[in-house]
Amino acid sequence: MPNRLRPIGSYAAPVSAGVSVGVVANPASGRDIRRLVAGASVFGNADKAGMVYRLLGGLGAAGVERVLMMPASDGLSATLHRQLYAHARRPPAGAVAPLPVLEQLVMELDGSALDSLEAVARMREAGVAAIVVLGGDGTHRVVAKACGDVPLCALSTGTNNAFPEMRETTVAGLATGLVACGRVPAAGALRREGALVVERDGAAPDLALVDVAVTAERFVGARAIWSGAGVSELVVTFAHPSAVGLSAVAGLIAPLARGAGRGVHVRFAADPREAEHTLAVALAPGLVTEVAVASHRVLDTGDIVELPPAAGSLALDGEREIERRPDEAVTVRLAPGPLTIDVDAVMREAARRGATRMQPRRV
Amino acid sequence: MSTVAPPGTGQLTPEQLVEAYRVMRTIREFEERLHREFATGDIPGFVHLYAGEEAIAAGVIAHLGSDDYVASTHRGHGHAIAKGCDVKGMMAEIYGKITGLCKGKGGSMHIADFDKGMLGANGIVGGGPPLVCGVGLTAKVKGTDQVAVSFTGDGGSNQGTFLESLNLAGAWHLPVIFVVENNGYAESTSSNFHQSGIDVAKRADGFGMPGIIVDGFDFFAVHEAAGEAIERARSGGGPSLIECKVNRYFGHFEGDQQTYRGPNEVEDLRRTRDCLDAFARRVTDAGVLEREALAEIDASVKTLIDDAVREAKAAPDPTAADVLTDVYVKY
């Protein structure tokens, strides 16, 4: 049951049955150990609140009337609230449309990834046409577990991500709104991403959107993988040479576009003399490291990579997530993943169709 | 890629894990026992209990030697135990006895042991950060590889002393680490009400030092992050800030009615966020330690605390003649 946050744009507007969009902004992203061990950017919750505020401008202009948002503690909601309050008192001159009504889901916050799962499930129940996600690879991974075929607009809140894009959210909001309101058709605007399904005995399957890495690290610890040390195998859903992180290793030996339905499996060389390739790779912001690759192969959707039992942990999308029992075998299967909104493609199509043209003004 | 040993937690030896568990269990048992003993009225002064936050003290201080420094808070028992202070001497101190670490004249909020690098618990909120700047400057000037760690709460992070210390440590490039134990409450005020910008880690940005957030209930997360920050400081890389998100099992002080907390908040915390339970499960699942070994630690710690309380109660009080000893330092 959504609860109306202080309504904004038009205070008196009733909650509309019009097009609605969900927003998941992870208050916990952007502060991990990579700020300490590498030069990762810092991204605070006030910045994220600003991103949501600007996003609303784009969504409203495209015709979205209602936005459902996951409540966020740790200052994000409070900062956003202050911005919306100021906006309501003094809206920016020249805006083509009011902001959508913003409603905050009423839910108990756990402070963990469960919050995002719950919020996405409720947004789907409420019939949102799209979900905008602000966070890192980890946040998107969690949302992808629950979003089904509701398209995601994947926005990065830092410089260390492969799956979401670093974008000005006003335009991302415009593109999402154009798709959500049917002003740009979904065909050509949406991309079917790949996913990696991680399965092991006695545990629910898990999901990664970018990569699964096998590491000798016994414990999850501070989560992030910022060094190649101890990593023995890697499976990726796409491979961009321009990415930052482990997926760039695959990108530099076997580049693979997003949404192509293929993946890459890489084995690292324990001894550089046995390496097929030795590469310099940007594994974290400010950190280019030497990586020795023993072998690689390209995967098709449905292919399974078997990981033999070993002590250590599995990192999903750059974060150690699963502590393995030493006798535990694991399989990783390349599968179809979530739908995402290709902002560039949407805006190109919008330009072609004149979807954002205003009616001529009469003098 | 695997030619280099993996960093961080993967390399913790079974001996180090046993020690970490022993430290956390000792803190928990010490605090749970004090909670019961305080209710009898035998303990003078106030006590502020650290139960629930053990993973932070254990995870950070595991990286420190006895010549490294720690400046603590009013909630200081955990830091003192992790830093190697004598548990019986601590208990006697809290009981105000002459056998206490400070001869019974300090009590809970002034437990100190300079020989162990423990600069003291501190009754002044935000009092620790300036102290570590002082010892950090000493280490820098003398050219030693010592580091200093201050612990501060979310309430303390609003104090001018905290922010001034971040500035000084940054400007002087001191070998110090500011650990913020954000347990969500400044006394009885939720951080949602007392803080502008809830993430304390963000404040580090303004002083040009890295600020990160870790789960303060997770020993491995704290240990890994602290290890990197301390190594950075030791090798001349300068200060950093680690914010540990955590909560406490008891009130601000013993006797606090805690009317500001949600229904079942503490029960839920104890059930779902127990650093000792999680630690035990993970090390045994990983096949590194046996349950029996942990149970032996539990038993020996219980005996230690029983003895500490019994001996503290039986020990003599300081006399009037002790009042003016150790007050002035001769140079």
Side-chain angles (χ1 to χ4, degrees):
Chain A
M1 181 59 196
N3 172 41
R4 286 177 71 184
L5 191 73
R6 184 181 291 275
I8 38 71
S10 46
Y11 262 42
V15 173
S16 151
V19 175
S20 62
V21 164
V23 174
V24 173
N26 180 4
S29 69
R31 273 291 164 191
D32 72 29
I33 194 167
R34 284 171 289 204
R35 278 83 200 156
L36 188 58
V37 296
S41 60
V42 289
F43 218 90
N45 282 337
D47 303 311
K48 290 176 209 162
M51 285 176 79
V52 175
Y53 172 70
R54 300 193 298 275
L55 175 78
L56 293 174
L59 290 170
V64 173
E65 295 180 44
R66 181 181 176 219
V67 169
L68 294 180
M69 188 172 164
M70 178 177 86
S73 56
D74 288 350
L76 202 162
S77 286
T79 310
L80 179 59
H81 192 99
R82 279 197 285 272
Q83 284 181 310
L84 295 177
Y85 184 74
H87 177 100
R89 298 192 139 213
R90 190 175 168 78
V96 298
L99 297 183
V101 172
L102 179 68
E103 301 169 36
Q104 193 163 266
L105 296 168
V106 175
M107 50 182 276
E108 288 274 320
L109 287 179
D110 179 64
S112 74
L114 293 175
D115 292 342
S116 298
L117 287 176
E118 170 78 13
V120 170
R122 298 219 197 174
M123 287 171 190
R124 286 179 70 187
E125 275 171 33
V128 296
I131 296 174
V132 182
V133 186
L134 287 79
D137 288 327
T139 312
H140 287 81
R141 185 177 76 80
V142 171
V143 170
K145 288 186 197 179
C147 70
D149 267 347
V150 177
L152 304 178
C153 180
L155 299 175
S156 173
T157 54
T159 57
N160 199 177
N161 298 306
F163 188 80
E165 289 181 298
M166 192 80 186
R167 271 198 182 274
E168 169 48 39
T169 54
T170 317
V171 179
L174 208 47
T176 304
L178 289 169
V179 173
C181 297
R183 292 168 66 182
V184 168
L190 301 183
R191 182 169 51 218
R192 173 67 70 185
E193 305 284 356
L196 297 166
V197 181
V198 179
E199 287 168 312
R200 48 202 183 112
D201 281 346
D206 213 323
L207 191 78
L209 295 176
V210 181
D211 54 31
V212 174
V214 179
T215 155
E217 286 279 353
R218 270 265 164 86
F219 300 104
V220 163
R223 307 188 75 86
I225 292 262
W226 71 88
S227 129
V231 177
S232 56
E233 292 189 63
L234 175 73
V235 189
V236 301
T237 57
F238 63 91
H240 284 180
S242 56
V244 174
L246 282 170
S247 73
V249 176
L252 289 167
I253 46 174
L256 206 57
R258 276 175 92 140
R262 308 182 82 188
V264 185
H265 175 208
V266 178
R267 285 182 203 276
F268 296 104
D271 181 345
R273 285 171 299 187
E274 294 163 9
E276 170 190 86
H277 301 281
T278 303
L279 309 162
V281 182
L283 282 186
L287 187 69
V288 179
T289 338
E290 187 179 305
V291 169
V293 173
S295 64
H296 75 279
R297 70 178 171 118
V298 174
L299 306 170
D300 288 313
T301 300
D303 282 357
I304 290 174
V305 175
E306 297 194 3
L307 304 176
S313 57
L314 296 176
L316 310 186
D317 295 343
E319 293 192 336
R320 280 165 279 162
E321 196 70 38
I322 298 170
E323 291 173 358
R324 297 173 76 182
R325 291 188 164 84
D327 57 352
E328 189 173 70
V330 179
T331 62
V332 178
R333 178 167 46 86
L334 184 63
L339 288 169
T340 55
I341 294 169
D342 182 336
V343 173
D344 285 330
V346 173
M347 295 313 289
R348 275 196 303 273
E349 185 62 14
R352 205 179 64 77
R353 291 171 173 259
T356 69
R357 268 179 218 151
M358 308 294 294
Q359 295 298 319
R361 284 172 200 263
R362 291 177 191 279
V363 179
Chain B
M1 200 135 174
S2 301
T3 50
V4 185
T9 57
Q11 294 305 293
L12 276 164
T13 64
E15 292 73 27
Q16 288 172 312
L17 291 169
V18 162
E19 177 60 12
Y21 183 81
R22 193 190 60 76
V23 167
M24 291 194 289
R25 178 58 71 196
T26 307
I27 300 170
R28 176 69 57 85
E29 192 71 25
F30 192 92
E31 300 294 62
E32 296 277 5
R33 183 64 183 267
L34 268 182
H35 172 70
R36 296 198 298 276
E37 296 296 337
F38 193 85
T40 67
D42 287 345
I43 296 175
F46 273 117
V47 293
H48 306 80
L49 302 182
Y50 191 73
E53 307 184 24
E54 296 89 346
I56 306 172
V60 173
I61 297 173
H63 298 282
L64 301 181
S66 59
D67 57 347
D68 293 317
Y69 293 103
V70 161
S72 177
T73 67
H74 56 283
R75 199 177 304 289
H77 305 162
H79 309 136
I81 289 171
K83 197 71 176 72
C85 292
D86 178 55
V87 169
K88 291 181 175 179
M90 285 178 60
M91 191 64 84
E93 185 60 38
I94 291 167
Y95 271 86
K97 299 302 178 76
I98 191 74
T99 52
L101 275 184
C102 305
K103 300 180 188 166
K105 295 187 288 185
S108 164
M109 272 183 279
H110 300 96
I111 289 179
D113 188 345
F114 290 176
D115 292 339
K116 302 281 187 192
M118 173 61 180
L119 297 174
N122 202 315
I124 306 298
V125 173
L131 297 180
V132 294
C133 288
V135 290
L137 181 62
T138 305
K140 187 177 175 183
V141 170
K142 286 185 171 174
T144 70
D145 70 348
Q146 291 162 290
V147 300
V149 178
S150 77
F151 292 89
T152 314
D154 45 305
S157 76
N158 293 337
Q159 296 289 83
T161 49
F162 176 76
L163 299 162
E164 290 166 28
S165 300
L166 292 187
N167 182 59
L168 207 54
W172 287 350
H173 207 67
L174 298 178
V176 304
I177 297 92
F178 299 96
V179 176
V180 176
E181 298 174 317
N182 187 342
N183 65 19
Y185 298 101
E187 296 199 2
S188 58
T189 308
S190 157
S191 16
N192 287 312
F193 294 97
H194 75 69
Q195 269 180 306
S196 176
I198 299 299
D199 293 334
V200 179
K202 173 92 176 163
R203 297 183 182 181
D205 304 350
F207 299 99
M209 71 178 75
I212 65 162
I213 295 174
V214 295
D215 178 356
F217 290 107
D218 181 347
F219 168 81
F220 297 103
V222 175
H223 182 270
E224 185 174 346
E228 293 292 339
I230 289 168
E231 193 47 44
R232 173 193 175 91
R234 218 184 271 297
S235 55
S240 48
L241 187 159
I242 300 172
E243 178 181 6
C244 304
K245 300 280 193 190
V246 72
N247 202 328
R248 50 173 148 82
Y249 285 180
F250 292 112
H252 168 63
F253 57 90
E254 281 309 278
D256 178 359
Q257 295 302 306
Q258 303 184 69
T259 51
Y260 51 88
R261 301 184 94 162
N264 302 321
E265 181 179 318
V266 175
E267 291 79 356
D268 288 348
L269 271 178
R270 283 184 177 267
R271 189 166 41 77
T272 61
R273 305 307 317 266
D274 185 326
C275 60
L276 279 148
D277 282 356
F279 182 96
R281 179 174 43 74
R282 290 166 72 181
V283 294
T284 50
D285 279 358
V288 189
L289 296 180
E290 300 289 331
R291 284 270 171 196
E292 292 71 29
L294 301 180
E296 279 175 28
I297 297 172
D298 293 348
S300 71
V301 165
K302 188 169 183 318
T303 306
L304 171 68
I305 303 298
D306 284 346
D307 292 348
V309 171
R310 196 180 60 252
E311 291 172 25
K313 285 180 173 173
D317 293 328
T319 65
D322 295 314
V323 169
L324 290 179
T325 59
D326 306 318
V327 175
Y328 301 103
V329 175
K330 286 203 177 92
Y331 289 99

